Amino acid sequence: MNSITPPESRRLPAGTPAHTASAPGFSAARPSLVGAWWLALRPKTLTVSAAPVLVGSAVAWSQTQTFYLLPALIALLAAMLIQIGTNLHNDVADFERGADTPDRLGPPRATAMGWLTGAAVRRGAWIAFGLAFNFGVYLVWYGGWPIVAIGLASLVAGWAYTGGPRPIAYSPFGEVFVLLFFGLAAVGGSYYLQTLTLDPAALVAAAMVGMLAAAVITVNNTRDLDTDARAGKRTLAVFLGRQRIELVFAAEMLAPFALLPLLAGLAGRGWSLALPLLALPAIVALIARFRREPAGPAFNELLARTAQLQLLFCVLLVAGLAF
Protein backbone atom coordinates (compact mmCIF):
# COMPACT_ATOMS: atom_id res chain seq x y z
CA MET A 1 0.00 0.00 0.00
CA ASN A 2 1.20 3.49 -0.81
CA SER A 3 2.08 5.82 2.00
CA ILE A 4 -0.95 7.29 3.71
CA THR A 5 -1.16 10.82 4.99
CA PRO A 6 -1.60 10.72 8.77
CA PRO A 7 -5.25 11.36 9.66
CA GLU A 8 -4.28 14.22 11.97
CA SER A 9 -3.07 16.27 9.02
CA ARG A 10 -6.51 16.21 7.45
CA ARG A 11 -8.65 17.09 10.45
CA LEU A 12 -11.12 19.85 9.78
CA PRO A 13 -10.70 22.66 12.27
CA ALA A 14 -13.54 23.61 14.55
CA GLY A 15 -16.00 25.90 12.82
CA THR A 16 -15.16 24.61 9.32
CA PRO A 17 -17.84 25.93 6.95
CA ALA A 18 -20.35 23.27 5.99
CA HIS A 19 -19.57 23.37 2.27
CA THR A 20 -15.97 22.27 2.81
CA ALA A 21 -17.09 18.95 4.27
CA SER A 22 -19.99 18.19 1.97
CA ALA A 23 -20.24 14.67 0.62
CA PRO A 24 -20.55 14.14 -3.13
CA GLY A 25 -24.14 14.04 -4.24
CA PHE A 26 -25.52 15.71 -1.12
CA SER A 27 -26.76 19.20 -0.48
CA ALA A 28 -24.74 21.14 2.06
CA ALA A 29 -27.80 23.16 3.10
CA ARG A 30 -27.79 23.48 6.87
CA PRO A 31 -30.74 21.65 8.47
CA SER A 32 -32.58 22.81 11.55
CA LEU A 33 -31.19 21.83 14.94
CA VAL A 34 -33.75 19.04 15.21
CA GLY A 35 -32.98 17.95 11.65
CA ALA A 36 -29.26 17.83 12.37
CA TRP A 37 -29.80 15.60 15.40
CA TRP A 38 -32.18 13.39 13.42
CA LEU A 39 -29.58 12.89 10.69
CA ALA A 40 -26.90 12.20 13.30
CA LEU A 41 -29.00 9.31 14.66
CA ARG A 42 -28.88 7.64 11.19
CA PRO A 43 -32.56 6.65 11.24
CA LYS A 44 -32.47 4.60 8.04
CA THR A 45 -30.48 1.82 9.75
CA LEU A 46 -32.01 1.88 13.24
CA THR A 47 -34.11 -1.14 12.28
CA VAL A 48 -30.91 -3.17 12.61
CA SER A 49 -31.28 -2.99 16.41
CA ALA A 50 -35.06 -3.49 16.42
CA ALA A 51 -35.18 -6.62 14.24
CA PRO A 52 -33.25 -8.92 16.63
CA VAL A 53 -35.61 -8.20 19.53
CA LEU A 54 -38.59 -9.10 17.35
CA VAL A 55 -36.98 -12.32 16.15
CA GLY A 56 -35.77 -13.44 19.58
CA SER A 57 -39.21 -12.87 21.06
CA ALA A 58 -40.84 -14.70 18.15
CA VAL A 59 -38.62 -17.77 18.56
CA ALA A 60 -39.63 -17.86 22.22
CA TRP A 61 -43.31 -17.52 21.33
CA SER A 62 -43.04 -20.39 18.83
CA GLN A 63 -41.88 -22.70 21.61
CA THR A 64 -43.84 -21.47 24.64
CA GLN A 65 -46.91 -19.70 23.24
CA THR A 66 -46.31 -16.94 25.78
CA PHE A 67 -45.16 -13.37 25.30
CA TYR A 68 -44.08 -10.86 27.96
CA LEU A 69 -44.58 -7.39 26.53
CA LEU A 70 -42.72 -5.21 29.04
CA PRO A 71 -39.35 -7.03 28.93
CA ALA A 72 -39.53 -7.09 25.13
CA LEU A 73 -40.36 -3.37 24.94
CA ILE A 74 -37.59 -2.39 27.37
CA ALA A 75 -35.11 -4.59 25.50
CA LEU A 76 -36.14 -2.90 22.24
CA LEU A 77 -35.59 0.57 23.68
CA ALA A 78 -32.24 -0.40 25.21
CA ALA A 79 -31.01 -1.96 21.95
CA MET A 80 -31.98 1.07 19.89
CA LEU A 81 -30.39 3.45 22.41
CA ILE A 82 -27.12 1.50 22.25
CA GLN A 83 -27.16 1.80 18.46
CA ILE A 84 -27.96 5.51 18.68
CA GLY A 85 -25.12 6.03 21.16
CA THR A 86 -22.78 4.12 18.87
CA ASN A 87 -23.83 6.20 15.85
CA LEU A 88 -23.36 9.50 17.68
CA HIS A 89 -19.99 8.46 19.07
CA ASN A 90 -18.98 7.38 15.58
CA ASP A 91 -20.04 10.76 14.18
CA VAL A 92 -17.74 12.74 16.44
CA ALA A 93 -14.91 10.18 16.68
CA ASP A 94 -14.52 9.85 12.90
CA PHE A 95 -14.34 13.63 12.60
CA GLU A 96 -11.71 13.91 15.32
CA ARG A 97 -9.63 11.09 13.84
CA GLY A 98 -9.73 12.69 10.39
CA ALA A 99 -11.78 9.94 8.73
CA ASP A 100 -14.67 12.25 7.71
CA THR A 101 -12.86 14.17 5.00
CA PRO A 102 -14.31 16.37 2.22
CA ASP A 103 -14.01 13.47 -0.27
CA ARG A 104 -16.13 10.99 1.72
CA LEU A 105 -18.94 9.42 -0.27
CA GLY A 106 -21.43 8.83 2.52
CA PRO A 107 -24.15 11.15 3.79
CA PRO A 108 -22.87 14.31 5.50
CA ARG A 109 -22.11 13.91 9.20
CA ALA A 110 -23.34 16.45 11.71
CA THR A 111 -20.00 17.09 13.41
CA ALA A 112 -17.92 17.27 10.24
CA MET A 113 -20.44 19.62 8.62
CA GLY A 114 -20.38 21.95 11.63
CA TRP A 115 -24.10 21.48 12.25
CA LEU A 116 -23.44 20.24 15.79
CA THR A 117 -20.41 20.67 18.01
CA GLY A 118 -18.30 17.66 18.86
CA ALA A 119 -18.97 18.21 22.56
CA ALA A 120 -22.74 18.19 22.00
CA VAL A 121 -22.66 15.03 19.89
CA ARG A 122 -20.42 13.24 22.38
CA ARG A 123 -22.74 14.30 25.19
CA GLY A 124 -25.68 12.95 23.20
CA ALA A 125 -23.88 9.61 22.81
CA TRP A 126 -23.31 9.34 26.57
CA ILE A 127 -26.92 10.27 27.27
CA ALA A 128 -28.06 7.46 24.95
CA PHE A 129 -25.68 5.00 26.62
CA GLY A 130 -26.84 6.19 30.04
CA LEU A 131 -30.51 5.71 29.19
CA ALA A 132 -29.73 2.25 27.83
CA PHE A 133 -27.97 1.44 31.09
CA ASN A 134 -30.99 2.60 33.10
CA PHE A 135 -33.32 0.43 31.06
CA GLY A 136 -30.84 -2.37 31.58
CA VAL A 137 -31.32 -2.11 35.35
CA TYR A 138 -34.90 -3.30 34.91
CA LEU A 139 -33.80 -6.06 32.54
CA VAL A 140 -31.20 -7.24 35.07
CA TRP A 141 -33.84 -7.26 37.81
CA TYR A 142 -36.10 -9.28 35.53
CA GLY A 143 -33.59 -11.60 33.88
CA GLY A 144 -30.70 -11.83 36.32
CA TRP A 145 -26.94 -11.88 35.86
CA PRO A 146 -26.83 -13.18 32.26
CA ILE A 147 -28.39 -9.86 31.25
CA VAL A 148 -25.62 -8.03 33.15
CA ALA A 149 -23.01 -9.72 30.97
CA ILE A 150 -24.91 -9.02 27.74
CA GLY A 151 -25.74 -5.43 28.68
CA LEU A 152 -22.31 -4.36 29.87
CA ALA A 153 -20.59 -6.04 26.93
CA SER A 154 -22.95 -4.27 24.52
CA LEU A 155 -22.36 -0.87 26.11
CA VAL A 156 -18.58 -1.27 26.13
CA ALA A 157 -18.60 -2.54 22.54
CA GLY A 158 -20.78 0.38 21.44
CA TRP A 159 -18.16 2.79 22.77
CA ALA A 160 -15.21 0.71 21.50
CA TYR A 161 -16.60 0.62 17.96
CA THR A 162 -14.98 3.99 17.30
CA GLY A 163 -13.46 4.73 20.72
CA GLY A 164 -10.22 3.83 22.44
CA PRO A 165 -6.75 3.36 20.96
CA ARG A 166 -7.85 0.57 18.57
CA PRO A 167 -11.42 1.19 17.40
CA ILE A 168 -13.28 -1.83 16.04
CA ALA A 169 -14.55 0.23 13.10
CA TYR A 170 -10.94 0.85 12.02
CA SER A 171 -10.15 -2.88 11.91
CA PRO A 172 -11.35 -5.85 9.81
CA PHE A 173 -13.63 -6.94 12.68
CA GLY A 174 -16.56 -4.57 12.18
CA GLU A 175 -18.73 -7.28 10.65
CA VAL A 176 -17.85 -9.68 13.48
CA PHE A 177 -18.84 -7.00 16.00
CA VAL A 178 -22.25 -6.60 14.34
CA LEU A 179 -22.79 -10.35 14.08
CA LEU A 180 -22.05 -10.78 17.79
CA PHE A 181 -23.98 -7.85 19.22
CA PHE A 182 -26.80 -7.24 16.72
CA GLY A 183 -27.23 -10.98 16.21
CA LEU A 184 -26.16 -13.37 18.94
CA ALA A 185 -26.42 -10.99 21.91
CA ALA A 186 -29.60 -9.18 20.84
CA VAL A 187 -31.57 -12.19 19.60
CA GLY A 188 -30.25 -14.52 22.31
CA GLY A 189 -30.86 -11.92 25.02
CA SER A 190 -34.40 -11.24 23.81
CA TYR A 191 -35.16 -14.95 23.76
CA TYR A 192 -33.72 -15.31 27.26
CA LEU A 193 -35.90 -12.51 28.60
CA GLN A 194 -38.99 -14.40 27.40
CA THR A 195 -37.96 -17.87 28.64
CA LEU A 196 -35.08 -17.40 31.12
CA THR A 197 -33.32 -20.14 29.17
CA LEU A 198 -31.31 -20.38 25.96
CA ASP A 199 -32.03 -22.76 23.09
CA PRO A 200 -30.18 -23.76 19.88
CA ALA A 201 -33.09 -22.43 17.81
CA ALA A 202 -32.48 -18.95 19.22
CA LEU A 203 -28.78 -19.15 18.35
CA VAL A 204 -29.50 -20.19 14.76
CA ALA A 205 -32.00 -17.35 14.40
CA ALA A 206 -29.40 -15.01 15.92
CA ALA A 207 -26.83 -16.02 13.33
CA MET A 208 -29.33 -15.35 10.54
CA VAL A 209 -30.21 -11.89 11.83
CA GLY A 210 -26.59 -11.05 12.61
CA MET A 211 -25.31 -11.93 9.15
CA LEU A 212 -27.88 -9.66 7.51
CA ALA A 213 -26.95 -6.87 9.92
CA ALA A 214 -23.26 -7.39 9.12
CA ALA A 215 -24.12 -6.93 5.45
CA VAL A 216 -25.17 -3.35 6.25
CA ILE A 217 -21.65 -2.64 7.55
CA THR A 218 -20.16 -4.34 4.49
CA VAL A 219 -22.06 -1.98 2.18
CA ASN A 220 -20.98 1.03 4.24
CA ASN A 221 -17.33 0.00 4.22
CA THR A 222 -17.31 -0.93 0.53
CA ARG A 223 -18.66 2.50 -0.34
CA ASP A 224 -15.86 4.07 1.72
CA LEU A 225 -13.14 1.62 0.67
CA ASP A 226 -10.84 4.16 -1.01
CA THR A 227 -11.33 6.99 1.47
CA ASP A 228 -10.97 4.61 4.43
CA ALA A 229 -7.68 3.32 3.02
CA ARG A 230 -6.37 6.86 2.71
CA ALA A 231 -7.49 7.63 6.27
CA GLY A 232 -5.71 4.56 7.64
CA LYS A 233 -8.86 2.53 8.38
CA ARG A 234 -8.25 -1.19 7.81
CA THR A 235 -11.85 -2.34 7.45
CA LEU A 236 -12.62 -5.77 6.05
CA ALA A 237 -13.37 -4.15 2.70
CA VAL A 238 -9.95 -2.46 2.69
CA PHE A 239 -8.27 -5.68 3.83
CA LEU A 240 -9.92 -7.93 1.22
CA GLY A 241 -10.42 -5.55 -1.69
CA ARG A 242 -13.49 -5.00 -3.85
CA GLN A 243 -13.76 -8.40 -5.55
CA ARG A 244 -13.49 -10.52 -2.40
CA ILE A 245 -15.76 -8.25 -0.33
CA GLU A 246 -18.43 -8.84 -2.98
CA LEU A 247 -18.28 -12.54 -2.11
CA VAL A 248 -18.56 -11.71 1.59
CA PHE A 249 -21.64 -9.59 0.97
CA ALA A 250 -23.29 -12.34 -1.09
CA ALA A 251 -22.59 -14.87 1.68
CA GLU A 252 -23.98 -12.55 4.37
CA MET A 253 -27.19 -12.04 2.41
CA LEU A 254 -27.75 -15.65 1.29
CA ALA A 255 -26.56 -17.75 4.24
CA PRO A 256 -29.68 -16.97 6.34
CA PHE A 257 -31.82 -18.69 3.71
CA ALA A 258 -29.64 -21.81 3.92
CA LEU A 259 -30.25 -21.90 7.69
CA LEU A 260 -34.05 -21.83 7.40
CA PRO A 261 -34.47 -25.65 7.32
CA LEU A 262 -32.25 -26.01 10.40
CA LEU A 263 -34.27 -23.40 12.26
CA ALA A 264 -37.52 -25.05 11.21
CA GLY A 265 -36.34 -28.35 12.67
CA LEU A 266 -35.04 -26.85 15.91
CA ALA A 267 -38.10 -24.65 16.45
CA GLY A 268 -40.56 -27.38 15.52
CA ARG A 269 -42.05 -25.38 12.66
CA GLY A 270 -43.04 -26.53 9.21
CA TRP A 271 -43.55 -24.85 5.88
CA SER A 272 -44.41 -21.54 7.57
CA LEU A 273 -40.69 -20.86 7.82
CA ALA A 274 -40.54 -20.74 4.04
CA LEU A 275 -42.10 -17.26 4.27
CA PRO A 276 -38.72 -15.45 4.29
CA LEU A 277 -38.10 -16.89 0.81
CA LEU A 278 -40.43 -14.15 -0.43
CA ALA A 279 -37.54 -11.74 0.17
CA LEU A 280 -35.05 -13.81 -1.85
CA PRO A 281 -35.68 -12.26 -5.32
CA ALA A 282 -35.12 -8.75 -3.94
CA ILE A 283 -31.98 -9.87 -2.13
CA VAL A 284 -30.57 -11.53 -5.26
CA ALA A 285 -31.25 -8.31 -7.19
CA LEU A 286 -29.46 -6.33 -4.46
CA ILE A 287 -26.42 -8.61 -4.63
CA ALA A 288 -26.26 -8.14 -8.40
CA ARG A 289 -26.47 -4.37 -8.04
CA PHE A 290 -23.82 -4.40 -5.31
CA ARG A 291 -21.44 -6.15 -7.73
CA ARG A 292 -21.99 -3.82 -10.67
CA GLU A 293 -22.33 -0.48 -8.86
CA PRO A 294 -19.13 1.57 -8.67
CA ALA A 295 -18.27 2.93 -5.24
CA GLY A 296 -20.00 6.25 -4.89
CA PRO A 297 -23.07 8.05 -3.59
CA ALA A 298 -25.34 5.35 -5.07
CA PHE A 299 -24.08 3.07 -2.29
CA ASN A 300 -26.04 5.18 0.18
CA GLU A 301 -29.22 3.90 -1.43
CA LEU A 302 -27.80 0.36 -1.34
CA LEU A 303 -27.10 0.81 2.37
CA ALA A 304 -30.68 1.82 3.13
CA ARG A 305 -31.97 -0.99 0.90
CA THR A 306 -29.87 -3.58 2.72
CA ALA A 307 -31.29 -2.47 6.06
CA GLN A 308 -34.81 -2.56 4.60
CA LEU A 309 -34.35 -6.10 3.30
CA GLN A 310 -32.95 -7.25 6.64
CA LEU A 311 -36.11 -5.92 8.27
CA LEU A 312 -38.30 -7.57 5.61
CA PHE A 313 -36.58 -10.92 6.12
CA CYS A 314 -36.99 -10.62 9.89
CA VAL A 315 -40.67 -9.62 9.66
CA LEU A 316 -41.37 -12.63 7.42
CA LEU A 317 -39.37 -14.83 9.82
CA VAL A 318 -41.40 -13.54 12.77
CA ALA A 319 -44.62 -14.27 10.85
CA GLY A 320 -43.42 -17.79 10.07
CA LEU A 321 -42.57 -18.41 13.71
CA ALA A 322 -45.75 -16.90 15.11
CA PHE A 323 -48.37 -18.53 12.92
Side-chain angles (χ1 to χ4, degrees):
M1 182 180 294
N2 295 332
S3 61
I4 298 174
T5 305
E8 290 76 13
S9 67
R10 293 192 306 279
R11 289 181 184 169
L12 300 175
T16 298
H19 68 273
T20 65
S22 61
F26 287 92
S27 169
R30 188 184 188 95
S32 66
L33 182 62
V34 172
W37 278 107
W38 179 245
L39 292 173
L41 301 184
R42 307 181 194 179
K44 290 184 178 180
T45 58
L46 286 182
T47 55
V48 170
S49 56
V53 179
L54 299 177
V55 171
S57 301
V59 175
W61 164 264
S62 73
Q63 296 178 330
T64 66
Q65 300 299 298
T66 58
F67 175 67
Y68 300 101
L69 177 61
L70 188 58
L73 181 60
I74 297 300
L76 175 63
L77 291 172
M80 294 186 72
L81 283 165
I82 290 174
Q83 186 183 358
I84 286 170
T86 303
N87 288 345
L88 292 175
H89 192 265
N90 175 260
D91 191 297
V92 65
D94 272 355
F95 170 70
E96 291 176 345
R97 290 176 182 271
D100 280 346
T101 59
D103 59 347
R104 74 181 303 274
L105 300 173
R109 296 302 180 213
T111 310
M113 297 293 286
W115 297 337
L116 300 171
T117 66
V121 175
R122 180 176 286 106
R123 185 163 54 248
W126 286 114
I127 289 172
F129 287 140
L131 289 172
F133 179 86
N134 286 335
F135 282 126
V137 171
Y138 165 79
L139 296 177
V140 168
W141 171 82
Y142 182 86
W145 290 107
I147 301 302
V148 175
I150 293 173
L152 290 180
S154 298
L155 286 169
V156 171
W159 169 81
Y161 188 69
T162 46
R166 295 187 178 182
I168 298 169
Y170 287 60
S171 75
F173 302 112
E175 282 83 352
V176 175
F177 161 84
V178 172
L179 174 62
L180 290 176
F181 289 98
F182 290 91
L184 296 177
V187 175
S190 299
Y191 178 91
Y192 181 85
L193 286 169
Q194 294 293 317
T195 64
L196 299 183
T197 62
L198 199 55
D199 186 84
L203 298 180
V204 172
M208 297 161 72
V209 175
M211 283 186 282
L212 291 170
V216 176
I217 297 298
T218 298
V219 176
N220 182 83
N221 291 344
T222 303
R223 177 199 65 201
D224 298 337
L225 194 155
D226 292 333
T227 55
D228 280 350
R230 289 195 294 272
K233 295 178 71 171
R234 291 285 291 171
T235 64
L236 188 63
V238 172
F239 182 76
L240 294 179
R242 178 62 191 261
Q243 289 187 333
R244 284 184 286 182
I245 203 64
E246 289 173 359
L247 298 177
V248 171
F249 179 72
E252 290 168 336
M253 297 299 289
L254 295 176
F257 293 97
L259 291 175
L260 282 172
L262 177 59
L263 179 61
L266 292 172
R269 312 302 287 182
W271 285 101
S272 65
L273 279 191
L275 270 176
L277 291 174
L278 293 174
L280 184 57
I283 283 179
V284 170
L286 182 69
I287 293 170
R289 186 178 174 191
F290 181 88
R291 295 190 65 180
R292 69 173 181 266
E293 195 77 60
F299 259 66
N300 297 307
E301 181 185 343
L302 288 177
L303 182 69
R305 183 63 173 160
T306 304
Q308 291 167 0
L309 288 177
Q310 190 227 17
L311 179 62
L312 175 61
F313 179 95
C314 291
V315 168
L316 292 171
L317 184 59
V318 167
L321 288 164
F323 301 107

